């Protein structure tokens, strides 16, 4: 089952999640958690709560949209690549693929694109193709720093690409 949970209050989601998971029956499959990269949302989780942490791919993409006007060529590489990934995800939903089928589909179709994006980001940063402290460099570093969480959909059945459905519900 998929549950989208939003709790308002003074705590960060990581703190709220720890409180919630205290009530969970032991021995259940790991929880797939989606969060932004705010450390308060991704740390603070007691070791006894096994979870798979996904990071929101749209947050990564948004970093490039924010600097698009200043770096249209570079940002287009990321934005267009991620648009293809989202197109593939739409196909998995249209075809009503189960989590295992969806994972296999993304591994076949999306993994090469994501590998290309990672290679391009790494080459641009390490090859001095972009100033690391520029707004574009910061967007690139964000993606690479959080790569593992941003690409869980390529490794974990049922892992979402983003938490857009929850954010839309909040608005």
């Amino acid at each position: 089952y998929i549950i989208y949970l939003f709790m308002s209050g003074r705590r960060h989601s990581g703190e709220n999640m720890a409180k919630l998971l205290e009530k969970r029956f032991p021995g259940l499959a790991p929880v797939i958690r989606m969060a932004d990269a705010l450390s308060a949302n991704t740390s603070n989780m007691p070791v006894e709560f096994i979870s798979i942490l996904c990071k929101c791919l749209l947050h990564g993409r948004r970093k490039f949209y924010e600097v698009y006007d200043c770096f249209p060529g570079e940002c287009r590489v990321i934005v267009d690549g991620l648009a293809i990934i989202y197109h593939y995800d739409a196909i998995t939903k249209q075809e009503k693929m189960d989590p295992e089928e969806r994972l296999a589909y993304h591994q076949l179709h999306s993994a090469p694109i994501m590998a290309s994006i990672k290679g391009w980001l790494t080459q641009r940063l390490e090859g001095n193709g972009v100033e690391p402290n520029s707004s574009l460099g910061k967007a690139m570093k964000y993606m690479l720093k959080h790569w593992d969480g941003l690409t869980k959909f390529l490794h974990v059945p049922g892992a979402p690409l983003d938490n857009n459905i929850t954010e839309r519900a909040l608005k």
Side-chain angles (χ1 to χ4, degrees):
Y1 294 100
I2 297 175
I3 298 172
Y4 298 96
L5 177 66
F6 174 77
M7 296 173 69
S8 63
R10 297 184 187 270
R11 293 189 181 125
H12 291 284
S13 70
E15 296 165 320
N16 289 332
M17 182 62 82
K19 290 271 190 201
L20 177 67
L21 290 178
E22 287 174 0
K23 300 175 183 342
R24 193 166 190 260
F25 291 113
L28 295 175
V31 171
I32 298 175
R33 294 189 306 132
M34 171 62 71
D36 60 21
L38 184 65
S39 64
N41 290 336
T42 58
S43 58
N44 301 334
M45 188 60 58
V47 174
E48 64 269 18
F49 300 126
I50 299 170
S51 65
I52 299 165
L53 180 61
C54 303
K55 304 263 179 94
C56 180
L57 196 55
L58 285 179
H59 283 119
R61 185 180 74 167
R62 188 175 303 134
K63 303 278 184 198
F64 291 91
Y65 271 115
E66 290 170 357
V67 299
Y68 193 93
D69 290 341
C70 297
F71 306 97
E74 293 89 344
C75 292
R76 190 159 201 73
V77 171
I78 304 303
V79 170
D80 288 354
L82 294 180
I84 296 168
I85 302 300
Y86 274 87
H87 170 73
Y88 289 148
D89 200 54
I91 291 171
T92 68
K93 291 173 184 171
Q94 179 184 340
E95 298 292 323
K96 296 180 171 62
M97 294 182 191
D98 67 32
E100 292 290 341
E101 292 170 326
R102 178 180 172 268
L103 175 62
Y105 187 87
H106 274 302
Q107 287 175 338
L108 179 64
H109 298 284
S110 301
I113 295 167
M114 293 302 290
S116 178
I117 288 172
K118 184 178 185 183
W120 184 84
L121 290 168
T122 302
Q123 184 273 327
R124 296 287 292 170
L125 281 170
E126 292 178 359
N128 298 321
V130 65
E131 169 58 44
N133 292 323
S134 69
S135 54
L136 178 61
K138 289 177 182 177
M140 291 175 160
K141 288 191 300 186
Y142 177 92
M143 287 284 284
L144 290 173
K145 180 179 179 182
H146 301 290
W147 193 259
D148 184 56
L150 294 170
T151 59
K152 285 293 186 203
F153 72 97
L154 296 175
H155 308 288
V156 177
L161 272 65
D162 58 53
N163 61 352
N164 211 26
I165 192 166
T166 304
E167 291 187 7
R168 282 184 183 158
L170 294 175
K171 292 179 182 179

